[in-house]
């Protein structure tokens, strides 16, 4: 009696584990790798002077095309702006497109 309960629990665990493995493969959220890289290149003051909630919000705005000029980030140095501009123009996204912004 106890052995059949253990076997039933083992089968249920194996089935649920298999389903979770399949769900993990097909339900992943793919993050644009450029978002992480651009966020690392920003000054990370999280001041909000650009009108976005911190540097990560600014980076998302740049990648979404909402921000056309990197000068919107007040504390960013001109050399950093050029570096980000060059990175976005030379690194395509998942769809193969590049982003053009003003430094």
């Amino acid at each position: 009696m106890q052995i059949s309960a253990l076997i039933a629990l083992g089968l249920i665990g194996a089935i649920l584990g298999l389903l979770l493995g399949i769900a993990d493969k097909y339900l992943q959220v793919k993050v644009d790798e450029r978002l992480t890289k651009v966020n690392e290149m920003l000054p990370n003051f999280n001041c909000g002077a650009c009108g976005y909630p911190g540097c990560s919000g600014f980076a998302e705005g740049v990648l979404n095309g909402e921000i056309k000029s990197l000068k919107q980030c007040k504390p960013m140095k001109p050399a950093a702006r050029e570096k980000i501009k060059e990175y976005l123009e030379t690194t395509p996204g998942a769809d193969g497109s590049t982003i053009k912004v003003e430094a």
Side-chain angles (χ1 to χ4, degrees):
M1 185 103 142
Q2 290 178 351
I3 293 175
S4 63
L6 289 174
I7 292 173
L9 235 85
L11 284 173
I12 290 172
I15 291 170
L16 290 176
L18 180 66
L19 290 174
L20 282 173
I22 292 170
D24 179 52
K25 183 177 180 180
Y26 291 105
L27 300 177
Q28 293 181 13
V29 176
K30 304 222 187 247
V31 177
D32 191 348
E33 296 170 9
R34 297 176 300 172
L35 179 64
T36 305
K37 185 70 173 167
V38 169
N39 202 15
E40 289 172 358
M41 289 190 247
L42 291 172
N44 290 315
F45 290 156
N46 292 322
C47 61
C50 60
Y52 285 85
C55 291
S56 61
F58 183 79
E60 285 182 34
V62 170
L63 291 177
N64 291 338
E66 298 168 4
I67 297 174
K68 301 294 182 196
S69 174
L70 296 174
K71 290 180 182 175
Q72 196 169 335
C73 177
K74 307 292 187 233
M76 192 184 332
K77 296 186 182 339
R81 285 189 202 120
E82 285 298 325
K83 188 176 177 184
I84 292 172
K85 178 181 187 240
E86 181 182 323
Y87 174 76
L88 291 174
E89 289 178 349
T90 59
T91 308
D95 61 353
S97 66
T98 58
I99 297 174
K100 303 234 185 269
V101 290
E102 179 186 326

